[in-house]
């Protein structure tokens, strides 16, 4: 007979039961956790799969055919940038907005701020009528500028330098008007540019060779040139053989579409005139300025136009003038001018150049060359004995947007030694491109630093590598004329320097940090611009537009649809657009683009999927 357990024995047996041991409790907890984890993972995977395939699409119009590219994750998975509110917000559907229609055919070459009908309202005094006169908001044309009948894909560079399709710029008038001067010829379906001109009837090559005997074109010291009254820009085309970048400038005048011819050839050019307002460039921009019988009144209006050339000419820069009144004793009969008038004109010109402290370097045949001093040390002493012109009291010599010209000399930055170059000496090209610009070294350009400049260089090298993935055609021969609509330090252009392209670097006139002078010190070209207005160019003149932060900048200043319509106007058919901006801004841009019948793709920026800055690419060749 078993002996009954006592109370202590019962307690001991209960305590030592395996079900009550700590080890068993730990094991049991682990098994439960594992079961719940497996069950939860299964549900999460199913939910994620469903979400990816049903609700992760961008909340954008289906008709836009928007695609999302990413190089960081699976490119087939779309990204959801839409906000998810607990309350429905009233939003205007883009489908309810009417699409933009084509403008009438007579708007094929519409240039809003250089409209020949509008200019008739302004005085011809100081050629004010040829300056920019933009339509007011209520006058703006909100339609799509059509291409001319028979428009064809432009002839690629460098063949375009010598010939272009006639139907792309269908103007035979210049071929007849300048027939004897060999500017341009119509041969079959092409316009051919033999290299002639008003001041170089024997050809532009011989003309440039004559200048090269005086000006060191091959030295690397001459990189940026301003050609006023450029004709069809054959002078700028010839200088490309010397690695020189020329900003060709001409008004819209009786010789219709000279600038359009130049841009169709793949040469830098823009509409502009020396008249009432300063040119849209900073001071000390160009290594050389040139005029070949450009019909500018250099000594009229107290010498305003030559004083403006002095403002934009770099210290030690050259001014080249050919045609009347140079060497008038030999050529006055051919010019059908009175000798006495030409003699006075040249005397006045020589006197004005002397009072600017310029030194005459040479005068031979039809060409005269002057050189600007490298600083104003001696000039300050001499000018005290002259009544005019005086040094300007203006403390912003770089202002160049609707800024009236004044009859005064723009003072150069002070130097400590008579042999110093005012503002700092520049490296020879191509070292100039990536060397720290003097305007940054001096610390006088607000919002800039050497560190920021170097970081910008590295950033654009990285960005360009990223662009290779999202716009592969960027590094083909497809593009020649490129515009950077918000250029900063010119990093995008610098990164493209080894490609056969040129870049118009635009610095918004109302930006906080004026970097256009820095861009020119790098050996690049550009202009000021307010994107609430139209650019000074003809339609269909740029192959690629790059807009970094442009729409964020102007969102509260004007209607961004007008900026997009302007981009449509100046972009060539088959061209491309790259827009970098915050995703919220890009979504607004896309709504307008749909109405323009442009298709685009959004990609992450090089900063990755978690950064709000995205890149929208429109490739119209697809």
């Amino acid at each position: 007979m078993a002996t009954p357990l006592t109370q202590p024995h019962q307690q001991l047996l209960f305590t030592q039961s395996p079900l009550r041991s700590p080890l068993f409790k730990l094991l049991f907890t682990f098994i439960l956790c594992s079961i719940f984890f497996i069950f939860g993972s299964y549900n999460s995977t199913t939910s994620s799969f469903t979400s990816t395939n049903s609700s992760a699409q961008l909340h954008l119009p289906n008709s836009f055919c928007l695609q999302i590219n990413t190089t960081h994750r699976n490119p087939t998975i779309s990204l959801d940038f839409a906000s998810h509110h607990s309350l429905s917000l009233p939003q205007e559907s883009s489908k309810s907005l009417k699409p933009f229609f084509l403008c009438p055919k007579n708007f094929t070459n519409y240039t809003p701020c250089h409209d020949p009908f509008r200019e008739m309202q302004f005085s011809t005094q100081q050629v004010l009528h040829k300056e920019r006169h933009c339509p007011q908001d209520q006058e703006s044309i909100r339609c799509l500028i059509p291409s001319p009948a028979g428009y064809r894909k432009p002839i690629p560079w460098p063949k375009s330098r010598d010939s272009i399709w006639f139907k792309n710029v269908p103007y035979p008038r210049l071929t007849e008007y300048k027939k004897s001067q060999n500017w341009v010829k119509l041969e079959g379906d092409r316009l051919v540019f033999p290299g002639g001109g008003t001041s170089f009837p024997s050809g532009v090559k011989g003309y440039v060779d004559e200048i090269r005997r005086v000006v060191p074109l091959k030295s690397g010291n001459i990189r940026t040139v301003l050609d006023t009254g450029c004709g069809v820009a054959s002078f700028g085309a010839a200088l490309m053989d010397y690695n020189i970048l020329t900003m060709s400038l001409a008004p819209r005048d009786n010789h219709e579409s000279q600038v359009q011819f130049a841009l169709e050839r793949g040469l830098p050019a823009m509409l502009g005139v020396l008249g009432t307002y300063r040119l849209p460039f900073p001071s000390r921009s160009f290594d050389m300025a040139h005029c070949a019988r450009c019909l500018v009144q250099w000594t009229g209006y107290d010498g305003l136009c030559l004083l403006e050339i002095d403002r934009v000419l770099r210290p030690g820069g050259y001014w080249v003038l050919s045609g009347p009144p140079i060497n008038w004793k030999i050529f006055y009969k051919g010019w059908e001018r009175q000798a006495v008038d030409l003699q006075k004109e040249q005397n006045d010109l020589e006197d004005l150049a002397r009072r600017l402290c310029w030194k005459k370097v040479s005068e031979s045949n039809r060409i005269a060359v002057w050189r600007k001093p490298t600083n104003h040390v001696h000039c300050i002493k001499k000018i005290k004995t002259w009544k005019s012109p005086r040094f300007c009291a203006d403390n912003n010599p770089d202002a160049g947007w609707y800024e009236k010209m004044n009859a005064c000399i723009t003072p150069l930055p002070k130097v400590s030694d008579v042999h110093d170059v005012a503002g700092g000496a520049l490296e020879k090209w191509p070292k100039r491109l990536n060397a720290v610009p003097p305007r940054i070294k001096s610390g006088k350009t607000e919002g800039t630093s050497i560190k920021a400049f170097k970081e910008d260089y590295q950033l654009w090298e990285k960005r360009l590598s990223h662009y290779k993935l999202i716009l592969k055609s960027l590094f083909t021969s497809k593009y020649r004329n490129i515009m950077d609509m918000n250029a900063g330090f010119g990093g995008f252009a610098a990164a493209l320097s080894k490609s056969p392209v040129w870049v118009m670097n635009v610095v918004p006139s109302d930006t906080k940090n004026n970097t256009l002078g820095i861009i020119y010190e790098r050996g690049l070209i550009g202009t000021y611009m307010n994107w609430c207005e139209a650019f000074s160019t003809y339609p269909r003149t740029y192959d690629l537009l790059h807009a970094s932060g442009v729409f964020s900048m102007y969102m509260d200043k004007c209607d961004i649809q007008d900026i997009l319509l302007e981009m449509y106007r100046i972009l060539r058919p088959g061209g491309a657009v790259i827009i970098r901006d915050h995703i919220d801004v890009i979504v607004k841009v896309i709504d307008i683009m749909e109405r323009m019948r442009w298709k685009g793709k959004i990609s992450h920026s090089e900063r990755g999927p978690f950064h709000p800055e995205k890149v929208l690419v429109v490739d119209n060749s697809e």
Side-chain angles (χ1 to χ4, degrees):
M1 184 174 178
T3 306
L5 292 173
T6 63
Q7 182 71 19
H9 287 135
Q10 290 178 354
Q11 186 176 356
L12 178 62
L13 182 61
F14 182 80
T15 304
Q16 292 178 343
S17 173
L19 297 176
R20 297 291 184 176
S21 68
L23 181 60
F24 176 83
K25 290 181 179 179
L26 181 62
L27 181 61
F28 184 75
T29 303
F30 175 78
I31 292 171
L32 283 176
C33 289
S34 299
I35 292 171
F36 285 124
F37 178 80
I38 294 170
F39 181 75
S41 297
Y42 175 78
N43 286 342
S44 176
T45 304
T46 305
S47 174
S48 176
F49 180 82
T50 304
S51 174
T52 299
N53 287 274
S54 63
S55 63
Q57 298 296 324
L58 270 177
H59 294 204
L60 296 170
N62 293 330
S63 59
F64 186 70
C65 303
L66 184 70
Q67 300 177 39
I68 307 297
N69 287 348
T70 169
T71 59
H72 299 275
R73 295 184 181 273
N74 187 345
T76 62
I77 298 176
S78 297
L79 306 178
D80 183 8
F81 295 115
S83 57
H84 302 279
H85 302 280
S86 57
L87 296 175
S88 59
L89 300 177
Q91 293 182 350
E92 182 180 21
S93 172
S94 61
K95 292 183 179 180
S96 67
L97 297 174
K98 293 182 180 180
F100 295 108
F101 294 103
L102 288 177
C103 302
K105 291 182 180 180
N106 60 334
F107 280 84
T108 297
N109 291 302
Y110 180 55
T111 52
C113 298
H114 300 270
D115 186 349
F117 296 101
R118 185 174 290 105
E119 73 179 33
M120 295 170 62
Q121 305 172 21
F122 297 90
S123 169
T124 58
Q125 188 81 356
Q126 289 184 238
V127 289
L128 175 63
H129 62 304
K130 296 293 182 184
E131 295 280 6
R132 286 175 57 89
H133 302 292
C134 301
Q136 300 299 313
D137 184 65
Q138 63 272 16
E139 301 175 294
S140 295
I141 305 297
R142 292 188 171 95
C143 52
L144 306 176
I145 301 298
S147 299
Y151 182 88
R152 300 174 63 176
K153 179 182 177 181
I155 296 171
W157 180 267
K159 291 183 179 179
S160 62
R161 180 164 71 170
D162 301 319
S163 66
I164 60 177
W165 300 121
F166 169 72
K167 288 194 174 181
N168 287 10
V169 192
Y171 297 108
R173 183 177 178 180
L174 191 61
T175 65
E176 295 297 322
Y177 187 75
K178 294 292 184 180
K179 190 174 183 179
S180 62
Q181 296 169 359
N182 216 23
W183 278 29
V184 56
K185 294 180 178 179
L186 179 58
E187 295 182 1
D189 58 357
R190 299 191 184 205
L191 291 165
V192 179
F193 301 90
T198 308
S199 288
F200 29 96
S202 300
V204 70
K205 186 179 183 301
Y207 178 81
V208 171
D209 284 341
E210 191 172 348
I211 294 174
R212 185 166 58 88
R213 297 187 187 102
V214 181
V215 181
L217 299 180
K218 287 187 174 181
S219 66
N221 290 316
I222 309 296
R223 167 60 181 173
T224 55
V225 171
L226 174 66
D227 186 16
T228 54
C230 64
V232 294
S234 291
F235 180 69
L239 289 182
M240 284 191 164
D241 294 335
Y242 298 88
N243 251 336
I244 292 173
L245 203 53
T246 305
M247 176 71 82
S248 297
L249 194 75
R252 179 167 184 158
D253 60 8
N254 294 331
H255 308 330
E256 218 165 23
S257 302
Q258 293 179 84
V259 166
Q260 195 171 12
F261 279 119
L263 286 158
E264 188 69 18
R265 296 175 71 183
L267 303 171
M270 64 183 294
L271 290 165
V273 64
L274 273 166
T276 301
Y277 296 102
R278 286 180 176 181
L279 297 175
F281 315 120
S283 63
R284 299 179 281 127
S285 297
F286 297 97
D287 301 308
M288 185 172 88
H290 170 260
C291 162
R293 201 172 183 178
C294 56
L295 307 180
V296 174
Q297 296 186 45
W298 295 114
T299 58
Y301 306 107
D302 297 320
L304 278 177
C305 292
L306 199 60
L307 286 162
E308 177 61 2
I309 292 296
D310 180 74
R311 183 185 73 87
V312 299
L313 199 60
R314 203 179 302 287
Y318 297 87
W319 185 55
V320 180
L321 176 66
S322 65
I326 303 304
N327 227 331
W328 60 270
K329 292 179 181 179
I330 298 175
F331 299 109
Y332 76 94
K333 290 182 179 179
W335 293 334
E336 299 180 353
R337 297 271 307 275
Q338 294 294 321
V340 62
D341 294 335
L342 288 165
Q343 182 180 20
K344 181 181 185 308
E345 190 176 320
Q346 178 147 2
N347 288 342
D348 290 345
L349 183 64
E350 300 276 6
D351 179 62
L352 180 56
R354 177 180 60 83
R355 288 186 285 126
L356 286 170
C357 302
W358 290 5
K359 179 182 179 182
K360 192 170 187 180
V361 178
S362 171
E363 180 177 343
S364 63
N365 198 8
R366 300 170 184 262
I367 304 172
V369 180
W370 284 265
R371 192 177 187 190
K372 181 177 176 176
T374 56
N375 58 60
H376 276 158
V377 173
H378 291 308
C379 196
I380 291 171
K381 297 177 181 178
K382 291 179 180 178
I383 208 168
K384 291 179 180 179
T385 63
W386 300 327
K387 293 182 179 179
S388 63
R390 299 290 183 182
F391 282 114
C392 301
D394 177 20
N395 59 359
N396 190 6
D398 290 343
W401 188 249
Y402 292 118
E403 189 81 16
K404 280 198 171 184
M405 292 191 290
N406 293 314
C408 54
I409 301 172
T410 302
L412 290 172
K414 294 181 179 180
V415 295
S416 55
D417 186 87
V418 69
H419 301 293
D420 290 343
V421 177
L426 296 178
E427 295 280 358
K428 294 182 178 181
W429 181 262
K431 288 184 179 180
R432 185 184 299 187
L433 180 65
N434 295 318
V436 178
R439 291 182 194 239
I440 293 180
K441 283 182 180 178
S442 67
K444 294 182 179 179
T445 303
E446 186 178 351
T448 66
S449 66
I450 295 176
K451 180 182 178 183
F453 175 78
K454 291 181 177 180
E455 288 175 348
D456 184 77
Y457 170 79
Q458 295 172 353
L459 175 63
W460 278 105
E461 289 292 321
K462 185 178 180 181
R463 284 180 173 177
L464 202 64
S465 297
H466 185 67
Y467 286 170
K468 289 181 182 180
L469 303 174
I470 60 178
L471 185 63
K472 294 180 174 62
S473 57
L474 179 59
F475 296 90
T476 65
S477 59
K478 186 176 177 180
Y479 307 116
R480 171 63 184 170
N481 303 354
I482 295 178
M483 177 184 287
D484 192 353
M485 298 172 65
N486 185 19
F489 291 139
F492 180 53
L496 285 169
S497 62
K498 294 181 181 179
S499 302
V501 302
W502 66 269
V503 180
M504 179 70 80
N505 293 280
V506 177
V507 172
S509 58
D510 51 353
T511 188
K512 292 180 180 179
N513 302 321
N514 183 358
T515 56
L516 192 55
I518 291 169
I519 288 170
Y520 272 95
E521 287 186 342
R522 300 188 73 178
L524 305 170
I525 59 171
T527 181
Y528 294 122
M529 178 61 194
N530 181 341
W531 284 114
C532 290
E533 299 180 358
F535 194 76
S536 293
T537 191
Y538 286 89
R540 303 173 301 281
T541 46
Y542 285 89
D543 305 306
L544 174 69
L545 304 177
H546 180 262
S548 179
V550 171
F551 294 97
S552 289
M553 181 182 298
Y554 284 93
M555 189 66 69
D556 299 323
K557 297 178 181 178
C558 53
D559 194 335
I560 63 170
Q561 76 171 350
D562 290 332
I563 300 176
L564 282 161
L565 287 170
E566 174 63 4
M567 292 170 72
Y568 186 99
R569 185 184 75 87
I570 67 179
L571 185 69
R572 283 177 174 165
V577 177
I578 302 175
I579 297 175
R580 301 178 66 92
D581 225 310
H582 193 283
I583 184 59
D584 292 344
V585 176
I586 283 183
V587 168
K588 294 178 181 179
V589 168
I590 286 170
D591 284 340
I592 301 170
M593 276 189 176
E594 185 199 17
R595 299 167 60 201
M596 295 164 55
R597 301 172 184 85
W598 272 0
K599 296 181 179 181
K601 299 176 183 178
I602 295 180
S603 297
H604 297 304
S605 71
E606 68 288 340
R607 297 179 178 182
F610 301 110
H611 197 280
E613 182 184 61
K614 303 300 172 186
V615 180
L616 171 63
V617 175
V618 177
D619 188 352
N620 288 324
S621 65
E622 294 183 347

